[in-house]
Amino acid sequence: MRSWKSNHISSTLTLILYLITILHHEVNHSHAQTQTQNNNTGYTCSTNQSNYPCQAYAFYRATSPNFLDLASIGDLFSVSRVMISNPSNISSPSSSLVPDQPLFVPLTCGCNTINNTFGAISYANMSYIIKPNDTFFLVSTIQYQNLTTFPSVEVVNPSIVPTNISIGESVIFPIFCKCPEKNNTTQFQNMITYVVQPSDNISSIASMFGSQEQSIRDVNGNDFQVYDPVFVPVTQLPVLSQPSVVPSPPPPATATASDDDRTGTVRGLGIGLGVTGFLLILVTGFWVYREVLLKGRVWLVRDEENQKKQKNNMYMGGKEGKGNKERDLNLMANVSDCLDKYRVFGFDELLDATDGFDESCLIQGSVYKGEIDGEVYAIKKMKWNAYEELKILQKVNHGNMVKLEGFCIDEEETDCYLVYEYVENGSLYSWLHEDRKEKLNWRTRLRIAIDIANGLQYIHEHTRPRVVHKDIKSSNILLDANMRAKIANFGLAKSGMNAITMHIVGTQGYIAPEYLADGVVSTKNDVFSFGVVLLELVSGKEAIDDKGNLLWVSALRTFEVDNEQEKGRRLKEWLDKDILRETCSMESLMGVLDIAIACLNKDPSKRPSIMDIVYALCKSEYTGFDISYEGIDSPRVMAR
Ligand SMILES: *[C@@H]1O[C@H](CO)[C@@H](O)[C@H](O)[C@H]1NC(C)=O
Ligand SMILES: *[C@@H]1O[C@H](CO)[C@@H](O)[C@H](O)[C@H]1NC(C)=O
Ligand SMILES: *[C@@H]1O[C@H](CO)[C@@H](O)[C@H](O)[C@H]1NC(C)=O
Ligand SMILES: *[C@@H]1O[C@H](CO)[C@@H](O)[C@H](O)[C@H]1NC(C)=O
């Protein structure tokens, strides 16, 4: 059916698609302009207001095809499924959603100082990993449904060139929000960010959320533009009415949505082209186009359903043979939050893949290499319950983190196995400290340092609650085929901050002194360990030598000189002789050494934050190669 339509209308379609593209540009353009007038770089706030930060909510609608389950929407907003299902009156966090299903997504709304031009802006930080074909504009308008705007994304990511974003890069999308003022006579507990839809007016918005028109005007003024966010103050979050049963495919909902689109677009075209006679053909064309599009969408949905079913069957199949389902289910209940995101491997599959956990498949420690269905994985046998690591990895999804692909529970032994992506080039430790023909050059080392820092920045600043890795060391840094670094092994990681623990874990030579002494856990523990890894990169020496001497102690002693020239001389003596052979600037080496030493400050509060580190390292990368290609002995560089 689709093929005859395509044949008949393909040429018309091409034309129409072309026109849509032009029009889309025009519409976007004009919209962008009106928005600029409306200060769409964000909503200013004052940092000395005591009402920030607060918990706020965004009103979000499930959309086909990518956002029809709470897990993917949760990922988008860095919250768990339960954190959305609870305020949204959804009983089962794992149920699938229908397009346009209303949701309340919790936001941590903060007042963030940007710079002198923009002052402070209130928003919730969302870290988003760029995927193919993403632009700031598309992600703001489609994935985030205009809860933010691309100019604001540019403002909060000053270091990123919007026309040159790379896949896998992490970008902050500021979701607009406001905290209710405390001095109001009516005590508003919650503020909902809502994006005005074409069919809305202020009274419909007020009644939708059980708020008053006047309260909305008090917060937002009187100017309401379609697709602009408005902040709706409410004393209490309204109870959303949810479809009780997932209805059969959603043409009615989709049709209304695209009806609006269609009239809008057609009107636009009419004006844009100024050829009224053409209109009729176009309307017909659109109808056909829409038909095809809708069919395509329904197809997609069905396809997805089928896939889900198949997956479920697979999980069940893998388990049934083993019997003892009940215990299995108990174990599963523990990790049920993760079930839908990961593949559950059967124990037999793992046995097959690793020749029964044969030594020949051993990578390191309790990690085995195994091939399942043509894919190579790293399989880690866990001595203790993997729930913590699973819980943390579930929130962590970043290009500089080793990705968890699935897990397996062996009910007979009550063992647990985590299955990760296989990272081809092994650990940084093996590259630095084991006999290898190839050596890492300085540029690669610097890139590795930046990758690790980016990964740490992600877990320190963009996960909620924050995650402290607690075991950063060169053997936990893996290098992929392109020698890009990924952080592995979240077995000791802890979420939550500034906790005190009596149970000291970590690796000698990398542990921060305050953690060793008092058990204080904070992101600054990781900063310290990262400083040690930087020393390893510069010196090629191990964090702890055969005699038990700590690298960081000797580094602090060696470089405790004020004279820059003397420091440079000592650095040349101290650094990895493999680096000496190549062309790289002393300035870059010295920059990294300085960062390392700052990270090793005995007072955790004086260590730089990971954000400062990322910035400083990137600067070292520039000074290392783009400005100066002079050799290591170049007098200009040495004089510094
Ligand atoms: C966001 O706004 C743009 C106009 O700037 C509009 O075309 C788009 O449909 C809106 N997105 C949603 C999800 O409503
Ligand atoms: C784009 O980014 C890449 C790496 O992020 C960089 O190498 C390249 O020079 C950039 N291009 C422009 C035009 O800024
Ligand atoms: C609350 O305080 C702000 C300044 O802090 C002021 O602008 C606003 O008018 C006050 N609102 C009420 C209702 O008193
Ligand atoms: C939740 O949604 C259901 C289904 O629409 C509705 O019947 C119910 O009244 C809603 N409210 C509560 C508090 O459950």
Side-chain angles (χ1 to χ4, degrees):
M1 199 164 93
R2 289 173 79 206
S3 69
W4 74 256
K5 261 186 185 160
S6 315
N7 281 339
H8 274 239
I9 57 160
S10 68
S11 53
T12 329
L13 256 182
T14 317
L15 172 67
I16 289 167
L17 281 174
Y18 174 63
L19 289 172
I20 291 171
T21 319
I22 295 178
L23 187 79
H24 208 81
H25 266 273
E26 215 159 285
V27 169
N28 291 344
H29 196 70
S30 61
H31 192 73
Q33 275 174 350
T34 48
Q35 279 205 340
T36 314
Q37 285 151 15
N38 291 349
N39 177 27
N40 70 338
T41 50
Y43 296 81
T44 51
C45 56
S46 145
T47 41
N48 52 24
Q49 272 173 297
S50 63
N51 48 337
Y52 286 93
C54 71
Q55 154 106 69
Y57 290 89
F59 182 85
Y60 190 84
R61 288 188 175 85
T63 47
S64 176
N66 294 329
F67 298 103
L68 286 180
D69 61 289
L70 291 178
S72 50
I73 298 171
D75 276 355
L76 196 60
F77 289 93
S78 318
V79 292
S80 71
R81 299 178 303 174
V82 182
M83 286 164 79
I84 305 176
S85 64
N86 280 346
S88 307
N89 183 21
I90 293 175
S91 51
S92 158
S94 56
S95 61
S96 59
L97 309 173
V98 295
D100 275 345
Q101 189 165 341
L103 301 168
F104 283 129
V105 180
L107 306 170
T108 305
C109 187
C111 186
N112 308 276
T113 312
I114 306 294
N115 55 29
N116 287 339
T117 324
F118 295 102
I121 299 177
S122 61
Y123 60 82
N125 238 341
M126 296 302 156
S127 158
Y128 178 90
I129 308 292
I130 297 296
K131 296 175 187 64
N133 302 326
D134 278 346
T135 65
F136 287 180
F137 176 79
L138 290 176
V139 176
S140 308
T141 57
I142 295 173
Q143 275 93 326
Y144 287 115
Q145 300 184 356
N146 296 314
L147 288 162
T148 184
T149 60
F150 74 90
S152 189
V153 181
E154 289 175 22
V155 166
V156 303
N157 295 282
S159 59
I160 300 176
V161 182
T163 50
N164 187 26
I165 46 177
S166 35
I167 294 166
E169 191 170 3
S170 168
V171 174
I172 295 171
F173 279 79
I175 302 303
F176 295 145
C177 59
K178 263 187 187 173
C179 293
E181 284 193 13
K182 286 197 172 141
N183 59 354
N184 277 347
T185 35
T186 334
Q187 269 304 308
F188 291 118
Q189 306 296 333
N190 285 301
M191 193 75 94
I192 302 165
T193 312
Y194 175 76
V195 174
V196 179
Q197 300 299 302
S199 56
D200 283 331
N201 57 43
I202 183 157
S203 72
S204 73
I205 297 173
S207 71
M208 180 173 179
F209 294 107
S211 187
Q212 271 83 46
E213 283 186 35
Q214 193 51 48
S215 328
I216 299 178
R217 286 188 205 280
D218 285 347
V219 179
N220 301 278
N222 288 314
D223 188 20
F224 294 90
Q225 304 277 345
V226 171
Y227 296 129
D228 273 358
V230 293
F231 304 102
V232 183
V234 290
T235 46
Q236 195 181 353
L237 214 55
V239 176
L240 295 175
S241 105
Q242 301 291 3
S244 42
V245 195
V246 176
S248 48
T254 327
T256 16
S258 51
D259 262 343
D260 288 342
D261 265 340
R262 189 168 46 134
T263 43
T265 320
V266 170
R267 207 184 303 131
L269 268 177
I271 299 160
L273 295 168
V275 187
T276 333
F278 211 46
L279 205 63
L280 210 71
I281 305 164
L282 281 179
V283 173
T284 325
F286 265 114
W287 182 79
V288 177
Y289 167 60
R290 198 192 61 144
E291 279 288 299
V292 175
L293 207 72
L294 275 183
K295 292 261 154 59
R297 263 188 220 165
V298 174
W299 253 98
L300 267 178
V301 173
R302 292 233 174 94
D303 237 36
E304 237 173 23
E305 268 167 11
N306 281 342
Q307 268 177 7
K308 262 193 198 138
K309 265 188 211 142
Q310 269 171 6
K311 255 194 204 160
N312 284 341
N313 285 344
M314 188 178 73
Y315 295 164
M316 290 312 177
K319 294 287 144 200
E320 255 159 18
K322 296 219 147 194
N324 205 352
K325 250 178 166 173
E326 222 160 283
R327 187 156 57 134
D328 198 27
L329 284 179
N330 272 340
L331 278 168
M332 288 296 187
N334 244 359
V335 287
S336 64
D337 257 8
C338 321
L339 264 177
D340 54 348
K341 284 184 73 175
Y342 296 114
R343 174 166 171 194
V344 180
F345 290 88
F347 185 57
D348 297 339
E349 279 182 289
L350 301 193
L351 278 180
D352 268 359
T354 57
D355 288 341
F357 293 98
D358 191 81
E359 287 233 336
S360 63
C361 298
L362 194 65
I363 302 174
Q364 176 197 339
S366 57
V367 184
Y368 295 80
K369 179 179 173 178
E371 191 177 321
I372 301 169
D373 302 335
E375 283 284 326
V376 183
Y377 296 103
I379 301 160
K380 178 168 148 197
K381 186 173 175 176
M382 302 293 288
K383 284 197 216 80
W384 58 83
N385 195 331
Y387 183 47
E388 275 302 313
E389 183 159 1
L390 265 176
K391 233 173 38 182
I392 284 168
L393 278 166
Q394 186 196 4
K395 281 185 280 180
V396 166
N397 185 6
H398 187 269
N400 298 118
M401 300 281 151
V402 172
K403 192 162 160 245
L404 183 71
E405 304 278 1
F407 60 95
C408 163
I409 292 167
D410 173 23
E411 57 268 42
E412 263 135 53
E413 302 283 332
T414 16
D415 275 338
C416 180
Y417 300 83
L418 297 184
V419 181
Y420 303 89
E421 68 173 315
Y422 179 70
V423 185
E424 296 86 344
N425 266 321
S427 73
L428 176 62
Y429 179 91
S430 73
W431 279 88
L432 290 177
H433 309 307
E434 283 170 12
D435 259 349
R436 274 185 188 258
K437 279 201 201 79
E438 308 142 288
K439 292 288 175 186
L440 299 175
N441 64 24
W442 180 239
R443 183 190 282 262
T444 308
R445 291 180 198 219
L446 201 44
R447 195 61 242 176
I448 289 169
I450 294 172
D451 283 342
I452 306 169
N454 275 327
L456 282 178
Q457 184 181 15
Y458 176 79
I459 62 169
H460 286 178
E461 289 177 3
H462 303 308
T463 56
R464 216 166 291 152
R466 295 168 178 209
V467 171
V468 182
H469 184 284
K470 286 177 70 180
D471 202 13
I472 293 295
K473 55 179 172 179
S474 53
S475 55
N476 276 341
I477 307 298
L478 304 184
L479 302 178
D480 73 7
N482 300 317
M483 299 306 277
R484 301 302 297 258
K486 288 171 187 275
I487 301 174
N489 203 346
F490 280 77
L492 302 180
K494 238 193 157 49
S495 48
M497 288 276 296
N498 296 326
I500 307 251
T501 172
M502 287 301 127
H503 176 61
I504 303 290
V505 291
T507 305
Q508 262 281 35
Y510 296 92
I511 305 179
E514 79 279 3
Y515 177 60
L516 211 49
D518 306 321
V520 178
V521 180
S522 78
T523 51
K524 294 296 173 76
N525 300 160
D526 285 347
V527 168
F528 184 93
S529 311
F530 178 69
V532 180
V533 175
L534 286 181
L535 292 182
E536 285 181 83
L537 284 167
V538 173
S539 70
K541 300 183 206 300
E542 288 199 45
I544 181 165
D545 72 11
D546 302 338
K547 297 184 200 103
N549 298 319
L550 302 182
L551 180 63
W552 67 267
V553 174
S554 83
L556 288 184
R557 209 183 300 124
T558 310
F559 296 107
E560 213 175 23
V561 280
D562 288 335
N563 185 328
E564 285 290 307
Q565 210 147 357
E566 171 63 13
K567 201 162 150 191
R569 195 191 61 77
R570 292 189 187 183
L571 175 58
K572 268 176 74 184
E573 231 164 61
W574 197 72
L575 60 73
D576 195 339
K577 299 297 172 282
D578 291 317
I579 301 177
L580 254 183
R581 277 189 233 114
E582 44 170 315
T583 308
C584 72
S585 84
M586 201 64 191
E587 203 174 350
S588 167
L589 281 162
M590 191 74 104
V592 174
L593 179 73
D594 286 342
I595 298 167
I597 286 176
C599 292
L600 298 172
N601 199 308
K602 295 219 173 85
D603 179 355
S605 67
K606 294 203 177 113
R607 288 172 208 153
S609 76
I610 197 72
M611 193 141 83
D612 300 332
I613 296 172
V614 170
Y615 178 78
L617 283 174
C618 291
K619 230 173 91 192
S620 280
E621 193 180 28
Y622 280 122
T623 55
F625 308 100
D626 294 341
I627 297 169
S628 164
Y629 276 93
E630 290 161 278
I632 203 156
D633 284 309
S634 139
R636 191 189 73 83
V637 177
M638 280 304 296
R640 190 184 162 265

